[in-house]
Structures are given as structure tokens and as C-alpha cells.
Amino acid sequence: MQPYFLPYIGYYQLIAAVDRFVVYDNIQYTKKGWINRNRILRRDGCTALISLPLMSDSAALDVRQRQLAGAFRRDKLLNQIREAYHDAPQFARVYPVVEQVVNCSENNLFAYLFHSLTTVCTYLEIATPLVVSSSLPIDHRLHGQDKVLALCHQLAASRYVNPIGGLGLYSRDCFSANGIELKFLQARPSAYAQRRNDFVPALSIVDVMMFNPLADVRRQLAQDYELL
């Protein structure tokens, strides 16, 4: 999977569901995607974007070649999150984790995102090793399904699990012909008490952690999905 900034719980369900999780660093950055942004819930019940500003650069660069903007105000981002959640039930326990993530001194986009993933996984007690894709000796000129299969073979994988969004991208027959079972993870997040009557799903993991005790989050990680 490509890295994302404090992604939704389904991303962490996927990490927790597998033996090894490969994070793409040598994949092209997509401007309109969610690599460097996500959504949180403000105190007024509306959603808001949190984002990592990037230096202007070529659109053809990989994630590992992009840099955070020199004007990135870590304190401003922390203030935005603190203002949104300072009265949330788990704020005292979770905000220090958020501080660890945001205050990371790395300016390289991938290094910053990788640090955020490992930090949140530590809090969530997810022990799955995170593997950087470029560290594996495959032909990195491959793309899409061919690259995934090469990574699976390199790791001697018998099963590959992808989010449900990849259902139209990969062929079960092709994976089976390569001796690999293909599964898709369908997240089924539980509603939890937020600040509004109508539950807002698929927000950043920060929202889940702020409103739920760790034991409840770990239950959601283990149970609130289906492998298809």
C-alpha cells in the first residue's frame, strides 16, 4: 500500500490482519489523493482537512522524492487537532501520540509518513513488521499487479490481502496461477459516540482514538472487517 497521513481505521485493520505489510516509497505521488492529508471532526460537528504542505516539485516524482514545505508549521497543525479534540474522552492519552507524529523532525515526505505509521501502530499495539518496498530486491520498473506479484514472490507469500477498493484491479485467477491466494478486506467500522447524532465514518484514525478507549479500538481492529 502507499502511505497515507493518519489514515482511517481500515488501513490499520489491514496492517493488523497480515504477517508483513509493504509500504510503497517508490510510487508516484498523487496530488489529489490522501497521501498527505486526512479528515478530522471539529467541535461544531463539521469535518475539516488536516494536511502536510509540500514543496513545489515535479508531479512525476515518487513519494520518497517529495519534501515537506519549509513553511510547514507543526505547531499550527497541532493547534488544529487540539482545538478539535481537547474535550474528547481519550484526549489526555492520545494527544501525546499525535504530538509524536506531527513533531517528527523528518522533512522527507515518505520518512515523515513512515514514522507516523509506526508511531500509531505502537500505540495500537500492532506488531506487524512494516517493510519499505524499495528495500526488496525486485524489478522496481514493474507496475500494478505485476509489481505486487513480484513483491509477494520475494516475501514467499501464500496470500495477498488488499483493501476492497482494489477489487477491480487484481485478478484472482492470475494470483492463483502464481500460487497466491487473493483476498480483499472490507472494513465495517462500528459507529461510536462523536459530537453529533449522525455518525461520520472513515475519518482519520485520530478521531477513532480520541473517542474510544484503546481496548475498544483494538476490538474494532480485530473484528470490524470481513475478508472476501
Side-chain angles (χ1 to χ4, degrees), residues 121-200:
C121 282
T122 297
Y123 172 78
L124 297 176
E125 300 176 1
I126 299 174
T128 306
L130 303 185
V131 181
V132 178
S133 61
S134 65
S135 70
L136 297 172
I138 67 163
D139 182 355
H140 289 282
R141 295 170 298 180
L142 296 170
H143 295 283
Q145 180 170 273
D146 291 336
K147 190 168 187 176
V148 171
L149 286 168
L151 290 167
C152 287
H153 286 310
Q154 179 59 39
L155 293 170
S158 58
R159 172 187 285 186
Y160 172 63
V161 184
N162 195 82
I164 195 66
L167 195 60
L169 300 176
Y170 303 110
S171 163
R172 292 187 193 271
D173 290 342
C174 186
F175 273 79
S176 180
N178 280 270
I180 300 166
E181 182 184 20
L182 176 60
K183 289 287 187 179
F184 294 95
L185 188 145
Q186 172 71 70
R188 302 189 186 282
S190 297
Y192 51 87
Q194 293 170 323
R195 294 192 184 89
R196 44 188 291 170
N197 293 329
D198 51 328
F199 174 67
V200 183

Side-chain angles (χ1 to χ4, degrees), residues 12-33:
Y12 296 95
Q13 287 174 330
L14 187 61
I15 298 177
V18 298
D19 298 315
R20 275 178 289 185
F21 187 86
V22 178
V23 189
Y24 278 133
D25 61 331
N26 52 351
I27 191 171
Q28 188 175 354
Y29 169 78
T30 51
K31 183 177 181 180
K32 294 184 179 180

Side-chain angles (χ1 to χ4, degrees), residues 86-152:
H86 70 82
D87 59 349
Q90 300 300 315
F91 178 83
R93 182 170 187 177
V94 172
Y95 187 70
V97 180
V98 174
E99 285 185 307
Q100 274 187 271
V101 168
V102 175
N103 282 330
C104 174
S105 61
E106 292 283 356
N107 289 313
N108 175 269
L109 175 61
F110 178 77
Y112 190 94
L113 295 175
F114 192 80
H115 171 267
S116 74
L117 289 174
T118 58
T119 300
V120 173
C121 282
T122 297
Y123 172 78
L124 297 176
E125 300 176 1
I126 299 174
T128 306
L130 303 185
V131 181
V132 178
S133 61
S134 65
S135 70
L136 297 172
I138 67 163
D139 182 355
H140 289 282
R141 295 170 298 180
L142 296 170
H143 295 283
Q145 180 170 273
D146 291 336
K147 190 168 187 176
V148 171
L149 286 168
L151 290 167
C152 287

Side-chain angles (χ1 to χ4, degrees), residues 10 27 54 56 78 80 86 89 118 170 188-190 209 217 219 226:
I27 191 171
L54 303 181
S56 296
L78 283 172
Q80 183 184 5
H86 70 82
T118 58
Y170 303 110
R188 302 189 186 282
S190 297
M209 296 191 303
V217 182
R219 180 195 57 76
E226 184 178 1

Side-chain angles (χ1 to χ4, degrees), residues 31-48:
K31 183 177 181 180
K32 294 184 179 180
W34 292 89
I35 290 176
N36 60 313
R37 61 179 184 158
N38 223 292
R39 297 188 308 151
I40 60 173
L41 193 66
R42 299 188 321 203
R43 292 177 66 203
D44 62 5
C46 297
T47 61

